[in-house]
Amino acid sequence: MCSIAGYISGNKEQVRLMLNSMVHRAPDDLGIFQDKKLSIGMGRLKIIDLKSKNLCPFEDSDLVLSYNGEIYNYLELRQELKKLNWKFKTSSDIEVLAKSWKQWGYKMFDKLNGMFAICIYDKKKDQIILIRDQVGVKPLYIYEDSNLFAFSSEI
């Protein structure tokens, strides 16, 4: 398991508190991305790619991804992306998700086989996308009122 959390207009410490409350889901690594608009965090249970650093959350130029789940066909997607001339720095499934988003956009979700909750922050478009698998195996909780928008893997 992994954990994800985010807070629009929130600071790093608020997201850190959220992730710390889910440390049982993700004991191996924790990281937080923050800019002027939002904070996005990810805790990681290392199963795939035990060596790469800076996967929590994953940053790839104009994208930030926070992810909880397993993409069963990530190796096949990786090979398909390599044939389209994408280069990889890690052996992680989250990098495959980042390249898939850049290649196919929303159509990437038609290609995914797995269970997941994903946050994609596209800095260039100033857009955040939250999605989970069709069955809802991996939880994604959202809270919104007039002052706050937050999401996480647990309440």
Side-chain angles (χ1 to χ4, degrees):
M1 268 191 286
C2 292
S3 59
I4 65 173
Y7 200 116
I8 308 301
S9 300
N11 66 43
K12 208 175 206 178
E13 283 312 306
Q14 291 161 319
V15 173
R16 186 174 311 284
L17 288 171
M18 293 165 73
L19 291 172
N20 284 342
S21 74
M22 297 182 279
V23 73
H24 58 280
R25 298 175 65 92
D28 298 328
D29 201 2
L30 181 142
I32 299 171
F33 166 85
Q34 182 175 10
D35 69 8
K36 295 177 184 176
K37 298 177 184 180
L38 53 80
S39 295
I40 297 171
M42 179 178 165
R44 185 165 179 246
L45 172 64
K46 292 182 180 181
I47 297 173
I48 297 172
D49 193 343
L50 305 178
K51 297 178 183 175
S52 295
K53 296 183 185 329
N54 302 321
L55 296 177
C56 295
F58 184 76
E59 293 185 55
D60 189 351
S61 62
D62 56 341
L63 290 182
V64 178
L65 274 81
S66 183
Y67 156 69
N68 171 31
E70 184 176 356
I71 306 302
Y72 306 129
N73 63 333
Y74 85 97
L75 292 173
E76 292 87 352
L77 291 172
R78 182 185 177 97
Q79 289 306 314
E80 187 175 347
L81 289 161
K82 280 184 170 183
K83 288 178 184 174
L84 295 168
N85 296 317
W86 288 96
K87 307 288 186 236
F88 291 85
K89 296 177 183 173
T90 74
S91 60
S92 70
D93 51 353
I94 197 167
E95 185 178 16
V96 171
L97 288 173
K99 304 294 190 214
S100 295
W101 177 258
K102 288 182 174 190
Q103 178 66 38
W104 299 299
Y106 287 100
K107 292 184 181 198
M108 137 181 140
F109 298 113
D110 295 333
K111 295 179 169 286
L112 297 182
N113 177 12
M115 53 182 178
F116 53 84
I118 305 170
C119 169
I120 302 171
Y121 174 43
D122 188 324
K123 294 187 267 186
K124 192 182 287 183
K125 293 180 182 176
D126 193 27
Q127 182 180 43
I128 188 168
I129 295 98
L130 296 171
I131 191 161
R132 68 179 191 179
D133 61 88
Q134 300 88 329
V135 182
V137 174
K138 291 298 179 180
L140 179 62
Y141 297 97
I142 297 170
Y143 177 83
E144 181 178 17
D145 66 24
S146 59
N147 300 313
L148 171 66
F149 181 89
F151 65 91
S152 72
S153 303
E154 285 186 6
I155 343 187

